[in-house]
Amino acid sequence: MKMTKLSDLPGVGPAMVGHLQNKGINTIQQLLDSDDATLLAIRGISPTRVASFRNVGQMMLNMSQDATPDEASSEVDTTEAQAVVVDADITLPAGTSKAGAAKKKEKSSAAKKKAKAASKKKAKADEKKKADAEVKKAKAAAKKKAEAAKKKAKESAKKKATAAKKKEKAAAKKAEKKKTAGKKASKKKS
């Protein structure tokens, strides 16, 4: 039993199959071989979903390759002619035994846990990256603000020094005028 059709993946319905096929992805193997950018460009596929597709898809391919014809026939329960529903997400083809279905469910559950853990790890890394970027941005803004304040203080001090020099020159000029006027007045008196 080979499960390599896209619709065999949990959570992949007819609409998603259509979206994937529009990108030239017709089998689980082609999905696994596709790069993340191609998959993320498809409507309805998030980074978390890409990770889930890859984990569950790889597991399904491994299971289909591991089963030999003898093993596949030994798992067939001839009393069941309909599909075996493992859980809400996984339906296996007719002829799959309950033991085989339970094993596949266990593997699927492990793959889902692994995908969830990978998703949490990625989310945590993204959160840290975002926080680091915000800290870096805040530091840059604080540095820019400090430089602006320093420049403003320097300009203000320069203006005050220039004003003080002008005032000093004006006072010196006034004193000189007074002195000259005093000399003229004393010359007139004499």
Side-chain angles (χ1 to χ4, degrees):
M1 153 184 45
K2 277 199 173 188
M3 295 190 296
T4 58
K5 294 186 302 185
L6 294 170
S7 58
D8 292 335
L9 274 173
V12 176
M16 183 57 69
V17 169
H19 293 313
L20 290 165
Q21 287 176 340
N22 286 339
K23 293 286 186 179
I25 302 169
N26 299 300
T27 65
I28 293 176
Q29 185 61 56
Q30 289 175 334
L31 178 86
L32 293 173
D33 293 340
S34 299
D35 61 283
D36 286 357
T38 300
L39 295 175
L40 291 171
I42 297 172
R43 182 179 176 197
I45 297 184
S46 65
T48 304
R49 204 155 188 205
V50 169
S52 174
F53 283 171
R54 290 196 189 287
N55 290 332
V56 176
Q58 188 62 56
M59 181 203 66
M60 291 173 79
L61 281 180
N62 291 343
M63 286 189 331
S64 69
Q65 291 169 357
D66 291 345
T68 64
D70 292 337
E71 289 173 337
S73 63
S74 70
E75 287 185 8
V76 174
D77 183 357
T78 54
T79 62
E80 294 182 83
Q82 54 188 337
V84 176
V85 177
V86 179
D87 65 20
D89 292 335
I90 301 174
T91 302
L92 299 175
T96 304
S97 71
K98 287 183 181 179
K103 187 176 179 183
K104 288 176 184 7
K105 181 179 179 180
E106 186 179 310
K107 286 185 177 181
S108 174
S109 177
K112 284 180 185 177
K113 285 180 183 175
K114 189 176 179 181
K116 192 174 183 179
S119 175
K120 281 184 179 179
K121 188 175 181 181
K122 185 179 182 330
K124 197 172 183 180
D126 288 346
E127 206 173 287
K128 185 182 182 325
K129 201 179 210 180
K130 188 177 178 181
D132 289 347
E134 286 177 11
V135 167
K136 189 176 180 180
K137 189 176 178 180
K139 282 182 178 179
K143 185 178 179 182
K144 193 174 182 178
K145 195 173 181 180
E147 286 173 356
K150 189 176 178 181
K151 186 177 179 181
K152 190 174 180 180
K154 195 174 183 180
E155 286 173 1
S156 177
K158 191 176 179 180
K159 281 182 184 178
K160 284 181 182 176
T162 304
K165 279 184 181 179
K166 280 183 181 178
K167 211 174 189 181
E168 195 178 296
K169 279 185 180 180
K173 204 173 187 179
K174 193 174 183 181
E176 188 63 39
K177 269 187 177 179
K178 220 177 190 181
K179 192 176 177 184
T180 308
K183 281 184 184 180
K184 280 184 185 179
S186 91
K187 277 185 182 182
K188 274 188 178 181
K189 283 183 183 179
S190 27

